Amino acid sequence: MITIIDYGMGNLRSVEKAFEKYCSNVAVSSSAKDILKADKIILPGVGAFKVAMDELKKRGLIEPIRESIEKGKPFLGICLGLQLLFSESEEGGKIKGLDIIKGRVKRFKDKKGLKVPHMGWNEIKLKVKSQKSKVMDGVKNGSYMYFVHSYYVEPKDKDVILCETDYGGNFTSGIYKDNVCGFQFHPEKSQAVGLKIVENFVNL
């Protein structure tokens, strides 16, 4: 069973529909029990980092997430869900995250000609690590993905970087460490190439 975590941050139907193409047992849930029972877990989300962490805490979901990751269950963070995996965010001050991946979440700097949020299609540049990750099987270097975000992740350990994207300079657009992967773009909105990542995650 795949559980998509519902913590009140964004419309989850598009994520659910994408995963239902490849798996007959997908559930959207805000229950700690469902997270602990799941074979694979997805943490999507759009919105503010602090609000998201407050919601996860309020609903008692932080420990089930950590426990599931420690048990080695495949875990996918999408957009805000990727950012929450990090140690802290500068959004709204210095806000602590789940601290699964060491590093920070930073805001794009306002530069001339650079619109924030970064919105629309942009290409990903695969790192060497991508060749060892089954979640990127069949995804070509230079593939275009769909982004909507004002903040980006900066991991301490550069070895976790799966792919980067250029927006006024390179930023990390995908990570993979052990059983945890995450993407700043939306695979579920990135047409056939994004759905390939969805299929790969289901088959992990």
Side-chain angles (χ1 to χ4, degrees):
M1 183 176 88
I2 294 176
T3 294
I4 300 167
I5 300 174
D6 178 6
Y7 56 112
M9 300 298 289
N11 176 13
L12 308 182
R13 184 61 191 135
S14 59
V15 178
E16 185 182 20
K17 275 174 70 179
F19 279 87
E20 283 175 344
K21 288 177 186 282
Y22 306 103
C23 178
S24 59
N25 197 358
V26 180
V28 174
S29 178
S30 56
S31 158
K33 283 183 182 176
D34 288 345
I35 293 170
L36 291 169
K37 281 193 304 185
D39 301 306
K40 298 183 179 77
I41 299 157
I42 300 157
L43 182 65
V46 291
F49 191 97
K50 184 181 186 306
V51 176
M53 284 304 297
D54 287 347
E55 285 296 325
L56 288 174
K57 192 173 184 179
K58 188 169 79 178
R59 295 166 192 243
L61 301 180
I62 290 176
E63 284 315 309
I65 287 171
R66 286 194 174 128
E67 189 178 325
S68 297
I69 289 171
E70 282 168 15
K71 285 182 176 174
K73 293 180 183 182
F75 190 98
L76 169 63
I78 299 173
C79 196
L80 180 58
L82 160 70
Q83 295 176 8
L84 294 171
L85 291 168
F86 279 69
S87 307
E88 61 182 33
S89 173
E90 65 180 32
E91 184 180 0
K94 200 173 177 182
I95 311 298
K96 287 192 173 180
L98 294 169
D99 200 28
I100 305 298
I101 305 291
K102 300 295 178 188
R104 300 187 71 206
V105 180
K106 302 175 78 172
R107 194 180 196 279
F108 284 114
K109 287 187 169 60
D110 293 314
K111 295 180 185 176
K112 195 174 181 182
L114 195 73
K115 290 183 180 176
V116 180
H118 170 219
M119 186 181 294
W121 296 89
N122 204 342
E123 67 179 319
I124 59 168
K125 303 169 195 171
L126 300 181
K127 306 294 280 182
V128 174
K129 175 120 183 152
S130 301
Q131 295 164 11
K132 300 171 187 171
S133 166
K134 289 182 180 176
V135 82
M136 299 302 274
D137 279 356
V139 177
K140 291 180 181 174
N141 189 40
S143 293
Y144 276 78
M145 302 295 187
Y146 188 78
F147 292 83
V148 185
H149 63 119
S150 300
Y151 291 78
Y152 63 94
V153 298
E154 193 176 73
K156 272 190 179 176
D157 180 5
K158 304 307 177 193
D159 283 346
V160 306
I161 300 173
L162 269 181
C163 55
E164 293 180 325
T165 295
D166 184 4
Y167 196 65
N170 284 340
F171 70 89
T172 299
S173 50
I175 61 101
Y176 199 101
K177 184 184 179 186
D178 302 325
N179 52 308
V180 176
C181 58
F183 298 102
Q184 188 59 70
F185 54 84
H186 289 266
E188 78 282 3
K189 294 179 181 176
S190 298
Q191 300 181 352
V193 68
L195 291 178
K196 183 62 184 158
I197 290 174
V198 169
E199 182 183 13
N200 289 342
F201 182 78
V202 169
N203 291 331
L204 284 178

